[in-house]
């Protein structure tokens, strides 16, 4: 007789055999540079908590106070009885932070991309997407009935040629959606959003940027990529992000026109059919916005650390690719070298992850380092000295 679940064991064993299974290490305490990971004291260099806000005193206190006032959960989806005054306050604070008419929050960033993209465009439309966009964008695109075309990574010439081809189509597409990450998560480079706007404005394309790794990092007070390029929401129509990275909490969001927000909360199934975030998360996210607005030292320290670290490792001869941000890959090409480098660094008290195929091209394996504002010069110099000695030992430099 057929065993209905035998594939589970078999497929997992195949992953293990091919070293493609994820090993989940346990972080014992806050996600911070000095961490205990799997019972070992390490410097943690693979965190999205770029500014240490997840354990900032004001952010923690706001969550504790909100639990006392509202309880642990929101109790329903947003459109039934899950919208509490604290969710609305967060959306107002976020809109003001983003210089937008309005903002809307979602359970996660993934649920924004998978829920909104299929609503914005359908079978009379086309999506133009950067080849290195995040998986949640790719899934959102797959869920849409629109045609799709992928342009070469951050290549404005290629994007222009795609636009001029589709502009000649008769009858014309009803809507055109151009979509890009703001900061690319594997290479740390920044989307040329100003140029994307310039080359697409004459065809009336909607522009959608996923700024998950740009918020708290780029722009004045970490407002993000739209602010960084001095653009606005008449030009960049959907500014999407997530609180799960520099804000230190969790939850996806969009900012733009009032029309975008009214449309989105009435259409996106990932908002309509998924429960509201816990009120304590909304409260701690408001506190995180407060910190960004009033304590500019965190973003400044993040950049000081980034500039010092990147310059030093480049001078040692490491290949940091096209990184322009605190995401710094060290490209070693072969997968086994990346895996070996990461495990030897861990043995030496430094936790980074190897990034190998299929996350990056087969010959572009790397370790990925994410710089943090909470790293001290002592942390950075220790990491640099270990990178140098192990890099020499493994013939990477
Ligand atoms: C570029 C990008 N978009 C979206 C997401 C998803 O965000 P969330 O973790 O809030 O679901 C991530 C996080 O991994 C990301 O890196």
């Amino acid at each position: 007789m057929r065993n209905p679940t035998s594939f589970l064991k078999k497929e997992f064993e195949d992953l293990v055999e091919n070293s493609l299974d994820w090993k989940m290490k346990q972080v014992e305490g806050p996600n911070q540079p000095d961490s205990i990971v799997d019972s070992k004291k390490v410097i943690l260099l693979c965190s999205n908590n770029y500014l240490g806000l997840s354990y900032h005193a004001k952010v923690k206190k706001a969550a504790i106070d909100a639990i006392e006032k509202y309880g642990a959960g929101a109790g329903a989806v947003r459109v039934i009885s899950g919208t509490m005054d604290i969710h609305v306050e967060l959306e107002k604070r976020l809109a003001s932070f983003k210089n937008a008419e309005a903002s809307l929050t979602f359970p996660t960033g993934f649920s924004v991309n998978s829920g909104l993209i299929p609503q914005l465009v359908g079978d009379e439309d086309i999506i133009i997407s950067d080849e290195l966009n995040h998986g949640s964008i790719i899934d959102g695109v797959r869920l849409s009935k629109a045609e799709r075309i992928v342009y070469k990574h951050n290549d404005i010439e290629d994007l222009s040629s795609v636009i001029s081809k589709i502009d000649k189509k008769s009858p014309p597409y009803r809507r055109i959606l151009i979509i890009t990450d703001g900061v690319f998560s594997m290479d740390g480079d920044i989307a040329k959003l100003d140029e994307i706007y310039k080359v697409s404005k004459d065809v009336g394309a909607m522009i959608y940027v996923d700024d998950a790794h740009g918020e708290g990092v780029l722009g004045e007070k970490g407002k993000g990529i739209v602010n960084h390029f001095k653009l606005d929401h008449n030009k960049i129509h959907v500014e999407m992000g997530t609180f799960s990275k520099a804000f230190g909490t969790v939850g996806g969001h969009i900012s733009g026109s009032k029309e975008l927000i009214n449309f989105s909360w009435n259409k996106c199934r990932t908002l309509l059919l998924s429960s509201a975030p816990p009120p304590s998360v909304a409260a701690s996210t408001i506190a995180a916005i407060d910190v960004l607005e009033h304590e500019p030292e965190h973003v400044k320290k993040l950049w000081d650390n980034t500039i010092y670290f990147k310059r030093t490792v480049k001078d040692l001869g490491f290949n940091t690719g096209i990184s322009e941000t605190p995401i710094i890959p060290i490209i070693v090409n072969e997968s086994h070298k990346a895996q070996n480098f990461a495990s030897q660094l861990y043995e030496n008290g430094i936790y980074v992850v190897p990034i190998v195929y299929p996350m990056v091209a087969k010959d572009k394996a790397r370790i990925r380092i994410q710089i943090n504002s909470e790293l001290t010069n002592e942390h950075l110099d220790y990491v640099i000295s270990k990178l140098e000695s192990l890099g020499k030992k493994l013939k990477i430099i």
Side-chain angles (χ1 to χ4, degrees):
M1 223 209 9
R2 187 204 304 264
N3 175 342
T5 57
S6 59
F7 73 98
L8 298 173
K9 184 164 182 286
K10 163 89 183 61
E11 290 199 15
F12 175 66
E13 282 169 358
D14 286 350
L15 289 173
V16 174
E17 203 177 301
N18 294 304
S19 304
L20 290 173
D21 60 315
W22 281 96
K23 305 193 174 55
M24 288 204 263
K25 291 198 191 302
Q26 293 182 27
V27 180
E28 297 155 32
N31 196 299
Q32 61 189 5
D34 283 316
S35 279
I36 309 281
V37 175
D38 278 359
S39 309
K40 186 175 167 63
K41 208 167 162 292
V42 292
I43 300 174
L44 190 145
L45 288 178
C46 46
S47 173
N48 296 321
N49 190 21
Y50 292 108
L51 305 171
L53 297 192
S54 79
Y55 53 88
H56 188 291
K58 290 181 187 158
V59 176
K60 290 199 293 187
K61 178 157 188 324
I64 294 163
D65 291 349
I67 287 180
E68 291 296 347
K69 178 168 177 191
Y70 296 94
V77 300
R78 289 287 303 272
V79 289
I80 310 276
S81 62
T83 295
M84 293 169 154
D85 51 4
I86 195 104
H87 294 115
V88 177
E89 188 188 333
L90 168 59
E91 285 162 348
K92 284 192 181 141
R93 288 296 304 274
L94 182 66
S96 147
F97 184 67
K98 294 276 184 182
N99 296 323
E101 264 182 25
S103 295
L104 180 65
T105 58
F106 284 66
T108 64
F110 202 108
S111 70
V112 177
N113 289 336
S114 56
L116 180 56
I117 297 167
Q119 300 301 328
L120 291 174
V121 278
D123 54 11
E124 297 166 68
D125 309 326
I126 186 153
I127 302 171
I128 310 175
S129 180
D130 187 288
E131 71 177 327
L132 293 189
N133 276 343
H134 188 257
S136 56
I137 295 181
I138 294 171
D139 281 14
V141 170
R142 284 183 183 148
L143 285 169
S144 157
K145 294 197 173 70
E147 272 180 50
R148 60 213 59 174
I149 190 156
V150 171
Y151 64 96
K152 284 191 204 138
H153 174 53
N154 222 356
D155 184 331
I156 301 300
E157 232 173 81
D158 193 41
L159 173 62
S160 300
S161 98
V162 167
I163 290 172
S164 62
K165 261 182 232 145
I166 65 167
D167 197 30
K168 294 196 183 87
K169 183 178 171 288
S170 171
Y173 290 105
R174 186 184 58 160
R175 296 177 202 150
I176 302 168
L177 175 66
I178 299 175
I179 188 157
T180 181
D181 277 19
V183 171
F184 289 88
S185 53
M186 295 300 152
D187 289 284
D189 54 329
I190 302 173
K192 296 172 186 142
L193 204 56
D194 51 346
E195 295 183 45
I196 293 177
Y197 166 68
K198 271 189 209 139
V199 300
S200 65
K201 65 181 188 320
D202 291 341
V203 295
M206 258 185 291
I207 304 179
Y208 181 133
V209 64
D210 173 341
D211 201 26
H213 290 278
E215 296 172 320
V217 175
L218 299 178
E220 182 213 349
K221 298 181 177 174
K223 286 175 191 245
I225 191 167
V226 173
N227 176 283
H228 169 83
F229 282 114
K230 301 193 170 30
L231 293 162
D232 60 46
H233 300 107
N234 292 318
K235 295 175 176 157
I236 306 303
H237 307 93
V238 185
E239 181 176 2
M240 175 270 166
T242 172
F243 301 126
S244 66
K245 308 212 187 284
F247 289 90
T249 62
V250 70
H253 57 85
I254 52 170
S255 296
S257 66
K258 277 195 186 116
E259 289 81 9
L260 170 74
I261 302 312
N262 289 337
F263 171 94
S264 302
W265 90 7
N266 284 285
K267 295 271 192 175
C268 293
R269 295 166 65 80
T270 51
L271 186 138
L272 291 166
L273 303 175
S274 190
S275 288
S280 55
V281 170
S284 50
T285 308
I286 293 170
I289 296 174
D290 263 340
V291 173
L292 286 169
E293 280 174 339
H294 297 111
E295 298 178 18
E297 60 270 27
H298 303 290
V299 179
K300 181 174 181 313
K301 186 72 186 356
L302 175 67
W303 279 100
D304 288 348
N305 281 349
T306 299
I307 290 163
Y308 171 67
F309 181 82
K310 202 178 315 190
R311 193 185 50 223
T312 315
V313 294
K314 270 181 161 176
D315 287 350
L316 286 172
F318 286 107
N319 175 6
T320 59
I322 50 176
S323 165
E324 301 172 83
T325 64
I327 295 179
I328 305 178
I330 295 192
I331 301 169
V332 300
N333 307 325
E334 297 102 324
S335 307
H336 71 91
K337 248 189 194 174
Q339 273 149 348
N340 196 4
F341 200 14
S343 67
Q344 296 211 23
L345 283 165
Y346 184 71
E347 288 313 309
N348 283 274
I350 297 165
Y351 180 32
V352 294
V353 279
I355 309 273
V356 298
Y357 180 80
M359 282 189 282
V360 290
K362 277 200 173 112
D363 59 348
K364 290 275 185 293
R366 62 197 63 189
I367 56 168
R368 182 181 64 170
I369 289 175
Q370 288 172 283
I371 295 297
N372 194 287
S373 66
E374 300 298 284
L375 289 160
T376 61
N377 287 353
E378 291 70 44
H379 287 127
L380 291 173
D381 288 339
Y382 177 78
V383 173
I384 289 163
S385 77
K386 289 296 165 194
L387 285 173
E388 183 178 14
S389 57
L390 290 172
K392 283 181 178 153
K393 185 174 143 198
L394 298 175
K395 303 201 173 7
I396 293 165
I397 50 171

